[in-house]
Each structure stands twice: as structure tokens, then as C-alpha cells.
Amino acid sequence: MSSIAYRGRFAPSPTGPLHFGSLVAAMGSWLDARAKNGAWLLRIEDLDQPREEPGAVASIRATLEACALEWDGEIAVQSGRNEWYAAALQRLKDAGAVFPCACSRREIADSSTPGLRQGKEAVYPGTCRHGLPAGRSVRAWRVRVEEAVIEMDDAVQGRLRQQLATEVGDFVVLRADGCFAYQLAVVADDAAQGITHVVRGADLIDSTPRQVHLQRLLGYATPRYAHLPVALNAAGEKLSKQTLATPLDPRRCASAMVSALEFLGQAPPTMLSRAAPREILDWGRAHWSLPRVPRVRARPVPGSAV
Ligand code: GLU
């Protein structure tokens, strides 16, 4: 029985098969939901169609099924939900919270104050905030961040604070290629699906204040967030398609599942390595403890799991 008090989700992008890093996010969110008798929903985040790999959705499904990670209800697919995102954008337009922007990535990188840059993405310098410069046409739509300072408690990583104006700048909600941006889609979908708890990789933690800002503008509730450590390969890189992470073999997922429990600080007993996926999940659910998840943004994969 699922309680409606907790609704969690796993939201993979179908850019390739699941690997150990995605298994950690899938299991962490499943275990946290099921330990609290919650629902766990599956959403395919395929808005970025050029990055989609044919066959990835079927492969993700097959791997989740092989791992006995059962989801509730229908799978939500972002590419069929453009009207919902368009309605959210319209509400932001009606509220005067967004503006059209003509700037290219290059122009932003060139004109952004170097001292204000965070990571790779340049902080938007505000060029089109008060209107498009003469002769320029709309490329993207951006949301105004104004003076927003987002403070929040992450259930794993602790207190977070981000001043959007200096750390991110007005950010894109409708991209120059006509696709809705991840930040808008994820917020609109979490609200539509009634998600109360988001458990996902810490690679998304810096996006969370942007999502909270949009939730406030759109009048959506803010879920509880828990950001799990990201899995690193031997070279210290995040496991991903780009770093050539080994796909999980659905016929042999039990050992990876035990390694994922270990990675999440749950100290599975040695004898669990001979168990079937369902028993591994039963053990994990009965012993699940979010406070035991290491409070770090990234950590190496246990040797046996890559
Ligand atoms: N689709 C994103 C990814 O695969 C996850 C988004 C989320 O959990 O909010 O990295």
C-alpha cells in the first residue's frame, strides 16, 4: 500500500543505458520512498531529443524491472507534455517574471563579469532584461531572478544557500532551439505528479535553488530534497555516457545493487551478495537510513562495481 503522504520519483534522461551512478539514484529514491510506504513514480526526461539514444527507454525499463525496482502508475514521458510546460511559461509571462533574450552563449560569455563566473556557465549579465536591443530578435526566454536568495535544508547535504543574481543570473526557461529548459520542465512535472520528496544525485544540487525560485513564482509546493553523492570512476570523473561508464547488465544486477547499498552507507551484510534483487531491496527497505548516507557530493565507486 502506498501512502499519498510521500510521492517520490526517478527521472532518468534516455541518453543511454543505466550505469552504476544511475542505479544509486534509482535505488536511493526507491528505498527512501518505500521505507516510508510512499509511491515511487518513473518519468522519462526526453526533452532534449538530440541527446536521446534509440532504445534507451526500453533498456532503462528492462534494467529497472530486472532490479525489481517497481514503479507506480504510468510512466510519464516529457516529450508528450509540451502543453503543460507552455501553460507554465504563459503564467510566468502573465506575471511579468520572464523576458525574451537575444543573446548567444558566446555574447554572454564575452560580456559576463569574469569575477562573477561560477563553474562553466557564465552568469547572465542582464543585457536584455529591460528590452531587446534594437534590431535583435528573440532567441530564448529567461526568468528574472531579482534579489532571490534561496536557503534550504537538504536531507543529506545540509544547509544550502544560493544568491541567484550573483551565482546564476536570469536563467533560460525556453531555449533558443524551442525546447523547454530542464529547470522549467522538472518543476512543472514534479508539481503535476504531486512529488513530495526528490532524491537524486548531487550533480543537480546547484540547480535546486533555481527550481525553488520557479516553484515560488508558479505557486507550486517545494518538495523535500535529498542529494545523494555522485559516483566517481577511478579517474575521479562522474560516471556518465561521456566518461564511458559501463552499462549495468540486467542479468547480473544483484552485485551492483549490493555495491549501491554500500555506496549509500547502508552497510549491507556480506551474505546479501548471494541474494536475488527482490531480497536485496527488502533488506535495503527494512534497514534504510538517510542519515547514514555519506554527506559528500561525490565519492568513488566501490572497486567491484564499475
Ligand atoms: N533527468 C535528470 C538526469 O537524468 C534527472 C533530473 C532530476 O532528477 O531532477 O540527470
Side-chain angles (χ1 to χ4, degrees), residues 9-13 43 45 182 186 190 198-201 203-204 211 238:
R9 49 58 158 198
F10 176 51
S13 305
R43 180 165 79 227
E45 299 209 322
Y182 157 71
V186 76
D190 283 339
V198 172
V199 179
R200 61 185 178 189
D203 49 331
L204 292 163
Q211 295 170 18
K238 180 192 151 194

Side-chain angles (χ1 to χ4, degrees), residues 32 67 78 80 157 162 172 196 206 212 246 283 286 294 297 306:
D32 198 56
C67 294
Q78 284 192 328
Q157 307 291 338
Q162 198 178 74
V172 172
T196 58
D206 290 334
V212 172
T246 316
W283 185 93
R297 299 222 177 164
V306 221

Side-chain angles (χ1 to χ4, degrees), residues 20-85:
F20 182 78
S22 14
L23 180 66
V24 166
M27 278 180 68
S29 58
W30 191 96
L31 290 166
D32 198 56
R34 299 309 192 195
K36 291 166 186 148
N37 287 323
W40 188 71
L41 311 181
L42 178 59
R43 180 165 79 227
I44 300 294
E45 299 209 322
D46 60 347
L47 272 188
D48 204 345
Q49 300 268 328
R51 288 184 57 224
E52 184 168 345
E53 185 179 286
V57 175
S59 139
I60 290 171
R61 268 187 83 136
T63 306
L64 293 175
E65 280 163 3
C67 294
L69 290 163
E70 283 160 12
W71 56 91
D72 293 302
E74 297 290 310
I75 302 178
V77 181
Q78 284 192 328
S79 55
R81 298 176 45 74
N82 268 332
E83 281 175 27
W84 176 248
Y85 312 132

